[in-house]
Each structure stands twice: as structure tokens, then as C-alpha cells.
Amino acid sequence: ALPDYITRALDNGKFRIDNIAEGQYKVYGLKDENNNKLYDLPSEAIAFTDSSIYINTENNYIPPRPISLVTMADSNLVVPAADTLNKEEIMEAQEAPVPGTLNKEELTGGQAYLDSLKYERIPGKEVELFYFVAENKIQYLTGTSRSLPYLLQFTFAMPVDTASVKMEFADTEGDVQYIREVTSELDTFRIWLTDSAFYSRELISLYLEHPETDTLGQLQSVTDTLKLRYRAAAPPRSRGPVTLRQPVLPVKTSLSQPSGLKPGQKPVFVFETPVADPDTSLISVFLKSDTLRIKQGYELYRDSLNSRRFIMETVLEPDSSYLLVAEKGAFKNIYGHLNDSLTYNFRVRNLEQFGKLVMNITGFQGKIIIQLMDASEKIVSEKKISLPDERRVEFPYLDSKEYLVKAIFDIDGNGKWTTGDYELKRQPEPVSYYNKKIAVKAGWEMIEDWQLAGLRVKNEAISTTRGKKSDK
């Protein structure tokens, strides 16, 4: 149904509706993407009150303005002369000033200033709305691609039961060999084809069976016929003989970051394609001490959440320099591509280059998620605790800069922030921000006490400019 009353919120989220007939109302907020004043798109943000409000002349959410109230027009203050104001209005302005407004000495010279803010709001009686975008509830195949001759990719709108996704290749005899990789979010499938005679085809056809939401909102199994094409770019023309070079396996590693590793940070190697277990006989790590090279022991293991990521377990001392050498062939992918010889000179940073933040948190009983963020609200670190048993949260090895701290009240205990659901009349999980930015300095341990006194609290003083329109 269309609303009885409607208004637009300002950029800061504040809104006002006047001349409302007496009665009981529910209040909603909507980011109306299709401009039809209805919540009918899953991508639309919505907010709603948990209960109805009742408005009448005695229970007014905004007090009436006196006739002689000053007005604002184009940032110019328009005021009536003092002789147009009655005695009660002047006494009210003199005896009940609002902090930050003009005082009684300024009610002279034929000009009178009345505080308009006191007629804009009654503290504690504003209607607060917290808008959210609901989780998608419609399952479907969102996309297919073949970005490499041997890589097929399927993405879904929601996490999917991996056993419910089945694939059968068309126009081929016998089984097709491949490696199936599923992301940790369970919404993306990567098929790495391993038979060069098969993936050299320009067109690959297959039948993909997968779950899909029908018009009644129920999951059903459907089968799509997919045709995935890959056309390699034509090689550049050459007058001389063409020499084919074996492709080199690219290696991405945390050892290449210019600032060096933080104390306790483990070296990581990431690959674009599936790789076999590394040949550790071709990989060596040395501690550099003056002119000496002292060989270090290590273990290299595959990440359980990402099969193309390897983590090195070794002892690296702070404020020390190291050398890692990986000879050609230390890493090899499933297509026979080898790495070139690699040499990394890297350093573990000094402990004195970092600061530490300790938060002592009280005022709540239950599970919360504490997020440490930089000034742009990018998450730097995250801790999950249960109050009141775990009150102390430590964030070590922090660079010198300002940070924000955010608390997510993990009501459902799933370890992440849960959005709202209008159909279930469920509000998004509350969050709260520490009331100031924390400047962490190298060599210092910052200790802050945080009494969680309110839900959905964020001091405007710590708000970032992210998302604001730039002034022209």
C-alpha cells in the first residue's frame, strides 16, 4: 500500500512530517530505486519501526512553533522587531536559552533572536530508523565465464549445496578430466580442465544441473545448456622463425611488500592456477647476519581454505634481514608451468616501529565482534569475544595512525554482522562505535575503557567523508 504521508530525508538522515491527522501510524524508510513508493525490489534499502506510534495534539512529537518565531531563508536570519514580540516570548528566550544560542544581551537594539532549534525536536522522542538491504533469498545462476582456455567458472546468487551442482560435457566421448574448486563462500565454482586436447577447443558445450528458486519461492533443480567459447588472440606477425617459450608460472608473495613483514607475520605464496605440492628441496631461507648466511628451517603447507595459497611456518626474528631463494621448478602448476628462479631479500620490522591498542570492554552480556578500522573504515583487524568473560581485547603491531573501533552485537552468534529482514520483522544486528578516534603511536601501548552504554551509536565527530560528494 502507498504511504499516507511521505517526505524526503536530508543527507544526514533527518526528516520531518507536519500536519499529521490524529491516529496510530507505522513509520518506514525506503531507498526507492524504481520511484514507485513501494518496497518491491530485493536491492532496495528499507527501515521500519518495531512498533506503532500514536499522534494527537497532546502527544505531539514536534511542539508547535510560536507565530513570532524567527525563520531561516537562504542562510539569512530574518527576525521581527522586538515590539512585535509579547512579554512571555521574550522572557522564554531570556530564561531558557539553549546551549549554543544567543544570550539575553543580544535581545537588544530593536532585534530579537529566538531559538528555533527548541521547536525542531524533543530529545528522546524522535523516530529512529536504521535502514538495511536484506539478504538475497532468490537462488539462480548469476554468471558463467571462460576467461582462460582451461578455466570454466559458474557463480550463484547465494551459497549452494555443492552436491546439488552437477555437470556433464556434451559433444565428447569418455570422461573429461578436471579439478573442481569451490570458494569458501560456496557461491562460485571453478572448473580447471586438465586435458589439453579438450580445452584447446574454441567452443565447449555442457549441461549444468543446479538449484534455482521458482515462482513460489521453492528451490528446484534445473538444467541449463551452456556454450562457453574462448578464442585466443592471434600471435603477432614475425618475419623470422617463431620460438615457442614455455609459459612461466607467476608467484605472488607477501615477501615482496616494501615495508617488510610485521613480527609474527608468516610468508605467504599465492598462485593463479592450481599447483602441485612445492619441491622444498629447491627452496631455502637464510638469516642474514653481517656477511654470514645462516640457513633456517621451515615448513610449507597448503591453506585449508584456499588450495592455491601456501603458508610458510618458520621462526623469523624482529629487526632482522632474511633471504629466500626458490630455484626454477620449486613451484609447478597442473599444466606443467614452472616458476623462474626467484630471490627475495626481506626484512622483519622492529617491534619499536609499532604501537598497541588495548580495549577493556564492559556493559554487555553476550557475543560481540570488535572491529579495528582505519580512518576510511577499512577493517584492519577483528576479534570475537563473549562478555563478560572476555573483556580485554588486544590489537598489537599497529602502524602509527588514527583508528576507529566498532562493536557488532552478535545476537544470533554466527560470527558476523546479520542484516535485517522485513518479512520476519527482524532489525539488523546493532552496532556501536567507540566515541572517538584513537591515535596509536609507535612504541606506545594505548589503553581505552569502553562502557557499551548504547546501541547503534556513532559520534558524528568520528564520521568519515567516505561517500560524501566533493565540493565543486
Side-chain angles (χ1 to χ4, degrees):
L2 293 175
D4 295 308
Y5 300 91
I6 190 169
T7 189
R8 288 185 179 275
L10 301 176
D11 289 342
N12 61 10
K14 296 181 178 179
F15 63 92
R16 171 181 176 138
I17 303 177
D18 292 303
N19 303 316
I20 301 176
E22 180 176 337
Q24 184 171 300
Y25 297 90
K26 288 188 176 181
V27 186
Y28 301 86
L30 179 66
K31 193 171 183 181
D32 194 6
E33 294 186 357
N34 55 2
N35 201 31
N36 66 350
K37 301 177 178 59
L38 297 173
Y39 178 48
D40 57 356
L41 293 177
S43 58
E44 289 181 326
I46 189 173
F48 60 92
T49 53
D50 290 318
S51 58
S52 300
I53 63 173
Y54 188 77
I55 295 180
N56 58 22
T57 54
E58 288 77 25
N59 183 28
N60 201 347
Y61 280 67
I62 303 176
R65 299 169 182 244
I67 298 175
S68 57
L69 181 66
V70 297
T71 62
M72 299 294 292
D74 298 328
S75 301
N76 296 319
L77 186 63
V78 180
V79 297
D83 58 5
T84 64
L85 303 176
N86 59 41
K87 180 179 178 181
E88 288 75 20
E89 290 170 331
I90 293 181
M91 291 299 293
E92 181 183 13
Q94 291 177 325
E95 296 176 3
V98 175
T101 62
L102 303 177
N103 57 40
K104 62 181 180 180
E105 284 75 18
E106 293 169 303
L107 292 168
T108 59
Q111 295 288 318
Y113 296 83
L114 289 179
D115 175 32
S116 62
L117 293 179
K118 64 196 300 182
Y119 299 102
E120 295 286 347
R121 60 188 290 272
I122 301 178
K125 294 199 70 174
E126 301 95 335
V127 177
E128 289 188 318
L129 300 173
F130 303 95
Y131 81 92
F132 60 88
V133 177
E135 287 185 346
N136 176 50
K137 296 181 180 181
I138 301 176
Q139 179 66 288
Y140 59 98
L141 181 67
T142 60
T144 63
S145 65
R146 187 184 174 193
S147 57
L148 295 169
Y150 43 74
L151 174 59
L152 314 179
Q153 182 164 296
F154 317 119
T155 57
F156 295 89
M158 297 170 55
V160 63
D161 178 7
T162 57
S164 65
V165 178
K166 301 175 183 179
M167 186 176 61
E168 181 181 347
F169 290 94
D171 304 329
T172 185
E173 296 181 1
D175 295 333
V176 176
Q177 301 299 316
Y178 61 86
I179 295 175
R180 187 172 82 162
E181 177 183 291
V182 185
T183 60
S184 58
E185 295 81 10
L186 301 180
D187 60 0
T188 301
F189 288 67
R190 298 188 183 100
I191 308 299
W192 300 94
L193 304 172
T194 57
D195 185 348
S196 60
F198 182 76
Y199 65 68
S200 61
R201 298 181 180 185
E202 180 179 317
L203 178 66
I204 292 179
S205 301
L206 59 92
Y207 307 106
L208 184 67
E209 181 181 344
H210 62 89
E212 185 174 282
T213 304
D214 61 18
T215 55
L216 298 177
Q218 302 296 317
L219 277 180
Q220 62 175 353
S221 181
V222 299
T223 300
D224 290 330
T225 301
L226 305 179
K227 296 183 180 295
L228 302 175
R229 189 181 301 274
Y230 182 86
R231 181 174 295 171
R237 293 185 177 181
S238 175
R239 295 181 180 179
V242 178
T243 302
L244 296 178
R245 186 174 183 270
Q246 176 74 10
V248 175
L249 177 66
V251 181
K252 295 181 180 179
T253 175
S254 57
L255 300 180
S256 60
Q257 55 189 13
S259 60
L261 299 180
K262 291 184 178 182
Q265 183 181 358
K266 299 176 182 179
V268 172
F269 303 87
V270 182
F271 301 88
E272 297 176 351
T273 53
V275 295
D277 290 336
D279 185 348
T280 55
S281 67
L282 301 178
I283 304 173
S284 301
V285 181
F286 301 92
L287 169 65
K288 294 162 55 176
S289 178
D290 296 328
T291 59
L292 298 178
R293 299 289 186 268
I294 304 173
K295 194 168 185 178
Q296 305 292 297
Y298 69 88
E299 291 184 8
L300 198 58
Y301 60 91
R302 196 184 300 265
D303 190 338
S304 60
L305 299 179
N306 183 351
S307 62
R308 291 181 282 115
R309 184 175 185 265
F310 287 83
I311 302 171
M312 177 174 283
E313 188 75 55
T314 186
V315 177
L316 300 176
E317 296 294 335
D319 197 23
S320 300
S321 297
Y322 292 87
L323 170 67
L324 183 141
V325 178
E327 299 178 27
K328 182 176 181 179
F331 301 104
K332 179 180 179 180
N333 71 1
I334 60 174
Y335 303 106
H337 304 161
L338 309 177
N339 66 287
D340 270 341
S341 297
L342 302 172
T343 300
Y344 296 102
N345 288 285
F346 65 96
R347 182 172 182 80
V348 181
R349 297 166 65 184
N350 193 324
L351 289 170
E352 296 180 357
Q353 294 179 271
F354 301 97
K356 181 179 180 180
L357 173 61
V358 177
M359 302 292 297
N360 295 315
I361 304 173
T362 57
F364 182 74
Q365 183 172 347
K367 295 182 178 181
I368 60 174
I369 303 168
I370 302 298
Q371 292 180 338
L372 181 73
M373 303 180 294
D374 62 18
S376 64
E377 299 198 35
K378 178 182 178 181
I379 297 175
V380 176
S381 182
E382 182 178 278
K383 306 282 186 177
K384 299 171 184 177
I385 64 174
S386 180
L387 291 175
D389 298 331
E390 306 167 87
R391 299 181 180 180
R392 182 181 173 94
V393 180
E394 297 185 0
F395 296 102
Y397 308 130
L398 298 179
D399 291 316
S400 297
K401 58 182 179 181
E402 289 187 329
Y403 294 90
L404 303 177
V405 184
K406 176 181 177 181
I408 299 174
F409 297 83
D410 190 13
I411 306 301
D412 59 10
N414 66 351
K416 62 181 181 180
W417 179 78
T418 301
T419 189
D421 191 312
Y422 175 68
E423 294 179 2
L424 300 177
K425 298 299 182 287
R426 183 187 71 202
Q427 295 285 356
E429 284 186 334
V431 301
S432 185
Y433 286 76
Y434 190 57
N435 61 9
K436 66 178 182 180
K437 295 179 181 178
I438 302 173
V440 174
K441 299 179 181 179
W444 287 73
E445 179 178 281
M446 315 298 295
I447 301 178
E448 300 286 342
D449 296 328
W450 190 6
Q451 173 79 18
L452 295 171
L455 303 180
R456 310 185 194 276
V457 175
K458 184 178 183 181
N459 191 329
E460 290 187 5
I462 66 172
S463 295
T464 69
T465 58
R466 186 180 64 174
K468 293 181 65 176
K469 295 180 180 179
S470 58
D471 297 330
K472 294 183 178 180

